[in-house]
Amino acid sequence: EDQVTQSPEALRLQEGESSSLNCSYTVSGLRGLFWYRQDPGKGPEFLFTLYSAGEEKEKERLKATLTKKESFLHITAPKPEDSATYLCAVQAGGSEKLVFGKGTKLTVNP
Amino acid sequence: EPEVTQTPSHQVTQMGQEVILRCVPISNHLYFYWYRQILGQKVEFLVSFYNNEISEKSEIFDDQFSVERPDGSNFTLKIRSTKLEDSAMYFCASSKDRGWETQYFGPGTRLLVL
């Protein structure tokens, strides 16, 4: 069974304090790894797709990387508006479904 | 920027009642999905839909659930006889092509079954 584990469950940072979120996965035949941002009571908002080990994607203060077993979402000099739950999801094998982790709730204090 | 829209944003229903959740996917997308998120839990896949057929469904998607594309724009999820445990946030998503394309999510419908 495909599994996605995110750590930490919650992370509290000061504004400007860089850090990383982890997503480890156990799947058979990874086709894609997706990062989403979710604000309270809202739907997941797409951030990045990574397809192969070694791939990196960047958007503003966020950078996502992928290895054969895990992905990292690096947040550089975060701002309070980066506060949200960050979700990792994988697609594997011949399935179309996204398998999500529980997410990391990030709080950035001013 | 095109978005997935969902209605209603909130729905309260009595156990045993039928509910229909509606979605308008992004206009040039061909694949449609429903997911749900029970409060405090992971987002879970329910069903995918392409070319007017279910292409994949999860164990959660039993005979109480059905999906339909009644016209060229709407995509619906029907729960025939709601149970307390159906209370959740239901998200519609769409993608341009086969499932490994990025799936874009709507804002969700919060369903509360009393």
Side-chain angles (χ1 to χ4, degrees):
Chain A
E1 184 180 329
D2 299 338
Q3 287 194 325
V4 178
T5 303
Q6 292 188 246
S7 61
E9 290 185 10
L11 180 63
R12 191 176 292 270
L13 300 174
Q14 289 298 122
E15 185 171 1
E17 180 186 2
S18 301
S19 188
S20 296
L21 282 54
N22 177 265
C23 170
S24 62
Y25 59 90
T26 306
V27 299
S28 179
L30 179 75
R31 289 215 314 275
L33 185 141
F34 301 80
W35 282 98
Y36 289 86
R37 168 190 170 129
Q38 187 176 31
D39 292 303
K42 302 290 176 68
E45 176 188 343
F46 170 71
L47 294 173
F48 302 110
T49 307
L50 301 166
Y51 292 107
S52 56
E55 191 173 358
E56 298 182 352
K57 294 271 180 76
E58 277 189 78
K59 179 180 178 181
E60 296 180 355
R61 295 178 291 283
L62 300 177
K63 179 180 176 180
T65 62
L66 181 64
T67 73
K68 288 186 178 180
K69 293 183 179 180
E70 58 192 347
S71 176
F72 292 94
L73 184 65
H74 307 278
I75 302 176
T76 303
K79 299 182 178 182
E81 53 262 43
D82 295 322
S83 297
T85 295
Y86 290 85
L87 303 176
C88 172
V90 298
Q91 270 185 336
S95 175
E96 297 160 348
K97 69 181 179 185
L98 293 177
V99 176
F100 281 85
K102 291 190 78 171
T104 293
K105 183 177 180 181
L106 174 67
T107 304
V108 182
N109 295 314
Chain B
E1 184 176 322
E3 293 181 334
V4 176
T5 60
Q6 291 185 242
T7 54
S9 57
H10 294 79
Q11 177 136 14
V12 181
T13 190
Q14 295 292 323
M15 191 170 55
Q17 294 297 303
E18 174 183 289
V19 295
I20 298 176
L21 310 183
R22 291 182 169 81
C23 167
V24 178
I26 295 172
S27 62
N28 62 343
H29 285 190
L30 301 178
Y31 285 82
F32 315 119
Y33 314 85
W34 285 101
Y35 291 80
R36 78 174 186 189
Q37 187 175 31
I38 295 171
L39 190 63
Q41 297 189 22
K42 297 182 183 184
V43 176
E44 301 174 289
F45 170 79
L46 294 177
V47 67
S48 60
F49 190 85
Y50 170 72
N51 199 25
N52 284 320
E53 289 185 345
I54 290 174
S55 52
E56 187 176 354
K57 61 182 181 179
S58 71
E59 293 177 352
I60 303 168
F61 194 88
D62 60 21
D63 292 344
Q64 295 282 32
F65 292 89
S66 63
V67 289
E68 190 179 28
R69 186 148 165 88
D71 54 43
S73 59
N74 290 282
F75 179 51
T76 62
L77 174 69
K78 182 191 291 186
I79 309 174
R80 289 190 182 83
S81 179
T82 50
K83 305 171 187 172
L84 296 176
E85 54 265 37
D86 293 328
S87 296
M89 194 77 157
Y90 287 80
F91 297 111
C92 174
S94 69
S95 64
K96 190 180 295 186
D97 204 336
R98 184 89 200 276
W100 48 80
E101 289 276 337
T102 298
Q103 295 179 26
Y104 294 90
F105 284 75
T109 292
R110 184 172 296 283
L111 177 64
L112 178 60
V113 182
L114 302 177

